[in-house]
């Protein structure tokens, strides 16, 4: 089946519909996550057995697990040395402290610092293209449309997942990206209080939008 076809992902979902691993399995097209809950009392991890059942399924279905793209992460206050690292016939599974899952950066310390820093960096780079369009004489309304379709989605992606857990400083850092974008579009707003900047652009703050999205 041609790569990129609309039927491809649907066919793959049908093919892996019976994928089981005797634990919580979260599937999104070809991205599969196994998870287990380990109690603070020190219950042993069974992830090695869960992975073995997954490997049996892949062998029965003529598939192969990509070990290089498979990672293990332990969340919470658990001693990692007490949990054996799972492995496959092609090599051990790498244990990491941060991992990008469906576009969201998860951190073993349950902090969103990595994710917030990543999306701020990504959105900041896109401000450069906004500046280039401003210099080329693109009208403000089209620049505003560029911001809303190219930059703002980066700052809001999956926000219901992380919005209520970020710090005030992180929230203000996100708002600063929006403020910079409006300054580029409407240069006369420089020096204005942030509420006035939003009023000129006829936009709501990111926090208000994230509250609504959540």
């Amino acid at each position: 089946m041609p790569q990129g076809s609309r039927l491809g992902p649907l066919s793959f979902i049908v093919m892996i519909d019976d994928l089981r691993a005797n634990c919580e399995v979260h599937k999104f097209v070809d991205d599969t996550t196994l998870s287990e809950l380990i109690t603070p009392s020190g219950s042993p991890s069974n992830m090695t057995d869960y992975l073995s059942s997954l490997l049996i399924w892949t062998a029965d279905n003529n598939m192969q697990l990509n070990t290089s793209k498979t990672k293990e992460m332990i969340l919470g206050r658990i001693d990692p040395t007490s949990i054996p690292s799972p492995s496959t016939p092609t090599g051990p599974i790498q244990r990491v402290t941060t991992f990008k899952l469906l576009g969201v950066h998860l951190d073993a310390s349950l902090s969103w610092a990595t994710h917030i820093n990543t999306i701020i960096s990504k959105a900041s780079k896109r401000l450069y293209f906004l500046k280039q369009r401003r210099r080329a004489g693109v009208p403000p309304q089209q620049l505003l449309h560029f911001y809303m379709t190219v930059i703002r989605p980066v700052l809001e992606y999956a926000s219901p997942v992380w919005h209520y857990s970020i710090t005030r400083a992180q929230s203000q850092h996100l708002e600063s990206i929006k403020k910079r974008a409006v300054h580029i579009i409407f240069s006369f707003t420089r020096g204005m209080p942030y509420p006035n900047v939003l009023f000129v652009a006829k936009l709501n703050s990111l926090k208000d939008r994230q509250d609504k999205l959540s």
Side-chain angles (χ1 to χ4, degrees):
M1 184 171 301
Q3 184 176 359
S5 66
R6 293 187 177 184
L7 192 58
L10 178 60
S11 300
F12 189 84
I13 290 172
V14 172
M15 185 180 298
I16 66 169
D17 183 62
D18 64 336
L19 190 156
R20 302 289 185 273
N22 299 323
C23 66
E24 289 286 343
V25 180
H26 314 276
K27 295 180 284 187
F28 185 84
V29 192
D30 64 341
D31 195 305
T32 302
T33 303
L34 309 184
S35 65
E36 69 170 335
L37 177 63
I38 302 176
T39 60
S41 59
S43 60
S45 171
N46 297 311
M47 187 54 66
T48 301
D49 296 333
Y50 300 149
L51 179 60
S52 297
S53 63
L54 178 65
L55 292 173
I56 293 173
W57 182 92
T58 58
D60 293 341
N61 288 271
N62 299 315
M63 293 186 180
Q64 185 175 358
L65 187 70
N66 191 333
T67 304
S68 64
K69 291 185 177 181
T70 304
K71 311 296 180 184
E72 180 197 32
M73 186 165 66
I74 301 174
L75 299 172
R77 299 177 180 178
I78 302 175
D79 181 12
T81 59
S82 64
I83 302 176
S85 296
S87 62
T88 69
T90 57
I93 300 298
Q94 181 184 6
R95 180 172 290 175
V96 297
T97 55
T98 61
F99 184 68
K100 184 179 180 181
L101 178 62
L102 300 178
V104 177
H105 293 264
L106 303 178
D107 192 296
S109 63
L110 302 178
S111 165
W112 292 108
T114 301
H115 181 71
I116 297 301
N117 291 338
T118 300
I119 62 176
I120 285 176
S121 175
K122 187 176 181 180
S124 298
K125 292 176 182 177
R126 297 191 180 192
L127 289 177
Y128 168 78
F129 298 102
L130 185 64
K131 292 179 182 178
Q132 293 298 92
R133 284 159 174 75
R134 180 74 176 86
R135 292 169 182 168
V138 175
Q141 288 306 315
Q142 292 187 25
L143 293 175
L144 195 60
H145 180 71
F146 179 86
Y147 161 76
M148 291 188 293
T149 56
V150 177
I151 300 175
R152 188 170 67 185
V154 175
L155 301 172
E156 294 183 339
Y157 176 74
S159 60
V161 176
W162 48 263
H163 168 50
Y164 288 112
S165 301
I166 63 175
T167 65
R168 183 176 181 180
Q170 290 170 338
S171 178
Q172 292 175 342
H173 203 167
L174 291 173
E175 297 287 357
S176 69
I177 300 296
K178 184 168 193 170
K179 188 176 182 180
R180 287 169 57 191
V182 177
H183 286 339
I184 294 171
I185 300 170
F186 303 103
S187 58
F188 63 87
T189 61
R190 296 183 183 276
M192 286 185 177
Y194 188 48
N196 293 5
V197 172
L198 295 176
F199 178 78
V200 170
K202 297 180 181 180
L203 297 172
N204 294 325
S205 68
L206 288 174
K207 184 180 184 304
D208 289 342
R209 286 181 54 82
Q210 290 166 355
D211 283 338
K212 186 176 180 180
L213 288 171
S214 300

